[in-house]
Amino acid sequence: MSTTLPWMQAWDLVAKSCVYLDREAYPDYLGLLDDDYQYSITCYSPDLRKDMIHLKVNKEELADLVGNIHNHIRLSGSLFRQVSLYSLEQREASYDAMSYVSVTHTNLDGVSKVFCVGRYFDRIAVRNGEVRLKSREFRMETRDIGAGCHYPI
Amino acid sequence: MGRSETAWQTPPKLPKEDFISNLVYADPEIFALEMERVKKATWKFACHESEVPEPFDFRRVNHAGMPLVVVRGDDGAIRCFINACSHRAALVVREPSGNGRQFTCLFHHWTYNTRGDCIGIPREEAYKPVGLGKESLGLREVRCETRLGLVFVNLNDRAPGLDEYLNGALENLVPVMGDPEQPLEVFSYHKTVVPTNWKNWHETNMDPYHEFLHYINRRVAMRGDGYHERSWKIYPGGHATLSPMRQKYEHIKGWRPRDNKPMPGIMADEFRTVKIFPDTNIIARSTVMRIDTSTPISPGETLVELRGLGIKGESAEDRAMRVKHHNQFWGPFGRNLYEDAHAAECVSEVNIGGGGSYSILARHEGQKTQDDVLLRTYYQEWSRLMGRPAQNPKAEGAA
């Protein structure tokens, strides 16, 4: 693996993104994102034998989405994202990072259960020495997440 | 002031159609009975024909606790079978979907073709002394008919035919789903077990009074012109349609009107819905469609299946637009799904625990949008099939 982006700098970015999402600190999360950021949640359906897109938004749409969470009845409790960065590879002017993700949901009674597992496929840009997320695809292995949720994983 | 135990358990002083006992949601004996008298006696939406587009394509489904497999045969006909080997009742098809010219049971390798014929029994000669042979050991075929691409099945060979059952309730979908030049296809499939009774789930589809629950609906639908003035059309058998309206998608920050490439036969921004008794709901939201249906697991658990549909063969750009519009409301990350599921869960938690006594279906608004007429009709049909009144569902023969 050859890269000029230090592993720890990429890891720090991915980890921060998870910590901010866990805390629902969305302004901080949005601060990690490039202006042309694209976010998606995808999975393969063995029922349809097709790939499916469950959510696909740009930065502005994502900001609108999280900015409206308080208006909705939403999944209560908290999500904890446990992430391991598995690979980091240079791709022209950016870097591709792949992380394994396990998300645990803790409900209001304090019961924790696996909510979903999958992988982050992140593209990372380096601008003036600072790293930003250019895109993230959360590729889910899990297909049944119960009643669902309407915020990013 | 609160009500005493006696007052709480006393039926409301309402016409009998205007309330039901909450035992219909929670009582195990009633649940078992409605599997026989309602679920197994009625036509069930199983899947869309686009899920088995090619000869030998198959798709597993469930109905009333029964594992089924829908198969497109070598002759192009769609058939349905109970997914059980004639030998020892093991699942014959284990994958959710696929393509196969024959199905071989993993247990003893009995083999069937896509028409349900048994075509292979290892060392068959050992059955000859008792007169058994392949010719009498086909899969159990289930009645299966397709209308507008919707594949329906019925476990009861003596039930009325599908057209008699539907009574014309699909008429509003003919322009949308019946155009041979623009066939539809499923692009999204999502299933989940919701901790609620199957009727509680379907009530979220039959009861627009609940739309105050949804932030999106409050802005997009209820601020639209004529929201409260729409009329329910009730069909014999408990099916219904609600007259269409144009909704205001631009009332959500960042959303735009759905005025580009609506589904066939649909106006820009139009909302159209059809309810098929007892468990299926079809919605068109201008540019995209959703079908949801449910399979009961227990009084307090329901498998909910949701499908999103676009136009087969459309451009990648058009499909992306429909997927986006679908996901704004529906799918596991849609902004409405959690709200409906959680509301149904909240009702069920009370009823399963015995905390609910009666549900009130007493809104009368001239059969307009938030009139409870569909809920009343639904439980009248339920009572007729059950042979028990929904107001007192433990009373056999009193419907």
Side-chain angles (χ1 to χ4, degrees):
Chain A
M1 191 179 310
S2 73
T3 173
T4 55
L5 178 67
W7 181 278
M8 287 308 295
Q9 202 174 355
W11 169 237
D12 185 59
L13 176 66
V14 173
K16 272 183 181 163
S17 74
C18 294
V19 169
Y20 293 156
L21 286 171
D22 285 352
R23 291 178 184 162
E24 300 191 15
Y26 293 116
D28 294 332
Y29 174 71
L30 293 167
L32 302 175
L33 312 180
D34 212 38
D35 287 343
D36 60 356
Y37 180 72
Q38 295 283 333
Y39 177 84
S40 62
I41 299 175
T42 65
C43 73
Y44 176 75
S45 167
D47 302 283
L48 300 180
R49 291 176 282 160
K50 292 176 184 172
D51 281 330
M52 298 194 300
I53 297 170
H54 286 318
L55 183 66
K56 187 172 184 179
V57 287
N58 61 28
K59 185 176 180 181
E60 184 180 359
E61 292 167 327
L62 184 62
D64 288 341
L65 182 67
V66 297
N68 257 315
I69 289 174
H70 67 282
N71 286 315
H72 287 273
I73 306 295
R74 46 77 55 90
L75 177 67
S76 55
S78 59
L79 296 181
F80 266 37
R81 295 156 179 82
Q82 290 191 304
V83 175
S84 298
L85 178 60
Y86 271 45
S87 67
L88 180 66
E89 295 181 0
Q90 187 162 7
R91 182 185 172 89
E92 298 177 349
S94 58
Y95 298 84
D96 284 349
M98 189 273 284
S99 309
Y100 276 51
V101 184
S102 173
V103 184
T104 305
H105 174 245
T106 304
N107 70 16
L108 296 180
D109 293 322
V111 178
S112 298
K113 293 182 179 174
V114 172
F115 184 70
C116 63
V117 299
R119 286 171 291 174
Y120 284 154
F121 292 93
D122 290 332
R123 183 151 295 170
I124 298 171
V126 183
R127 299 196 199 289
N128 303 320
E130 292 206 350
V131 290
R132 290 282 184 273
L133 282 170
K134 280 179 69 67
S135 66
R136 167 168 289 174
E137 176 186 359
F138 178 44
R139 181 79 175 170
M140 292 207 304
E141 288 294 309
T142 307
R143 297 194 310 284
D144 181 349
I145 58 164
C149 74
H150 36 68
Y151 43 93
I153 299 299
Chain B
M1 65 185 278
R3 284 183 278 169
S4 67
E5 179 186 7
T6 301
W8 180 249
Q9 292 173 348
T10 301
K13 291 176 181 169
L14 293 168
K16 72 170 189 175
E17 294 82 9
D18 282 0
F19 70 95
I20 59 170
S21 164
N22 288 1
L23 289 173
V24 305
Y25 305 117
D27 185 277
E29 186 257 345
I30 293 170
F31 177 84
L33 201 61
E34 65 184 359
M35 292 307 98
E36 297 301 318
R37 296 183 179 177
V38 178
K39 286 291 195 171
K40 291 182 181 175
T42 53
W43 286 89
K44 162 76 177 172
F45 166 72
C47 65
H48 187 262
E49 64 178 358
S50 66
E51 295 170 66
V52 286
E54 303 296 333
F56 309 114
D57 279 349
F58 63 85
R59 177 82 166 91
R60 280 188 62 185
V61 296
N62 279 279
H63 175 34
M66 198 85 75
L68 306 178
V69 59
V70 173
V71 189
R72 190 182 287 273
D74 57 322
D75 56 351
I78 297 175
R79 298 180 177 85
C80 182
F81 305 97
I82 293 180
N83 184 10
C85 183
S86 302
H87 180 214
R88 301 273 285 276
L91 289 174
V92 175
V93 178
R94 289 170 292 135
E95 297 81 9
S97 72
N99 182 281
R101 289 173 182 267
Q102 57 189 42
F103 305 121
T104 300
C105 176
L106 85 167
F107 204 178
H108 302 90
H109 288 201
W110 285 33
T111 299
Y112 305 86
N113 65 20
T114 55
R115 297 187 187 214
D117 304 318
C118 182
I119 58 171
I121 295 178
R123 304 189 66 239
E124 185 182 5
E125 61 277 10
Y127 293 109
K128 285 189 177 160
V130 293
L132 269 184
K134 288 192 287 288
E135 63 283 353
S136 63
L137 291 166
L139 298 174
R140 153 73 157 100
E141 187 159 1
V142 174
R143 294 170 75 190
C144 179
E145 295 190 39
T146 302
R147 298 288 183 279
L148 305 178
L150 305 164
V151 179
F152 289 88
V153 298
N154 194 317
L155 292 163
N156 184 347
D157 285 351
R158 296 169 301 284
L162 178 59
D163 291 329
E164 185 181 345
Y165 179 74
L166 291 171
N167 280 302
L170 297 181
E171 62 181 329
N172 282 2
L173 295 175
V174 172
V176 195
M177 308 187 81
D179 182 351
E181 301 297 314
Q182 298 188 87
L184 306 189
E185 90 178 333
V186 175
F187 62 71
S188 176
Y189 175 78
H190 170 221
K191 66 179 176 182
T192 188
V193 175
V194 178
T196 193
N197 184 270
W198 64 279
K199 299 183 296 299
N200 286 137
W201 172 261
H202 195 49
E203 287 172 16
T204 67
N205 290 316
M206 296 192 292
D207 161 27
Y209 187 47
H210 93 285
E211 289 190 297
F212 292 104
L213 164 74
H214 299 295
Y215 169 71
I216 299 284
N217 294 45
R218 291 197 301 270
R219 299 182 73 85
V220 163
M222 301 177 85
R223 291 186 184 182
D225 297 333
Y227 170 85
H228 289 286
E229 304 311 314
R230 292 176 290 165
S231 297
W232 284 105
K233 180 174 180 180
I234 305 296
Y235 298 81
H239 322 298
T241 61
L242 186 58
S243 52
M245 72 168 290
R246 293 183 183 222
Q247 302 206 337
K248 303 286 188 183
Y249 295 95
E250 65 273 24
H251 286 179
I252 299 295
K253 188 168 183 280
W255 290 15
R256 287 190 286 274
R258 294 187 175 188
D259 53 4
N260 184 32
K261 299 189 177 178
M263 297 293 283
I266 295 277
M267 295 183 295
D269 295 325
E270 181 182 333
F271 175 88
R272 186 180 298 198
T273 184
V274 174
K275 322 294 182 187
I276 302 299
F277 185 91
D279 57 20
T280 298
N281 179 46
I282 304 170
I283 297 174
R285 279 194 172 277
S286 184
T287 48
V288 68
M289 295 193 70
R290 158 187 149 174
I291 303 172
D292 79 67
T293 193
S294 65
T295 300
I297 297 172
S298 71
E301 290 177 297
T302 301
L303 175 71
V304 175
E305 298 175 90
L306 303 110
R307 291 165 166 86
L309 292 90
I311 299 172
K312 191 172 185 176
E314 63 191 343
S315 69
E317 182 184 4
D318 289 352
R319 177 57 57 86
M321 176 267 293
R322 296 192 205 285
V323 170
K324 187 178 201 72
H325 287 174
H326 172 271
N327 292 341
Q328 285 173 342
F329 280 84
W330 307 315
F333 294 90
R335 289 162 72 168
N336 268 28
L337 182 68
Y338 179 82
E339 294 172 331
D340 275 330
H342 188 55
E345 180 181 349
C346 286
V347 173
S348 192
E349 182 174 335
V350 173
N351 286 329
I352 293 294
S357 54
Y358 295 94
S359 288
I360 295 170
L361 318 176
R363 294 187 61 77
H364 292 271
E365 296 186 277
Q367 219 159 302
K368 298 296 185 189
T369 310
Q370 293 190 342
D371 192 313
D372 285 334
V373 60
L374 178 53
L375 292 169
R376 290 190 290 273
T377 301
Y378 184 90
Y379 281 103
Q380 286 164 21
E381 181 64 10
W382 185 93
S383 300
R384 186 185 73 79
L385 290 169
M386 288 287 283
R388 298 179 176 200
Q391 298 76 27
N392 182 16
K394 300 292 273 186
E396 185 76 64

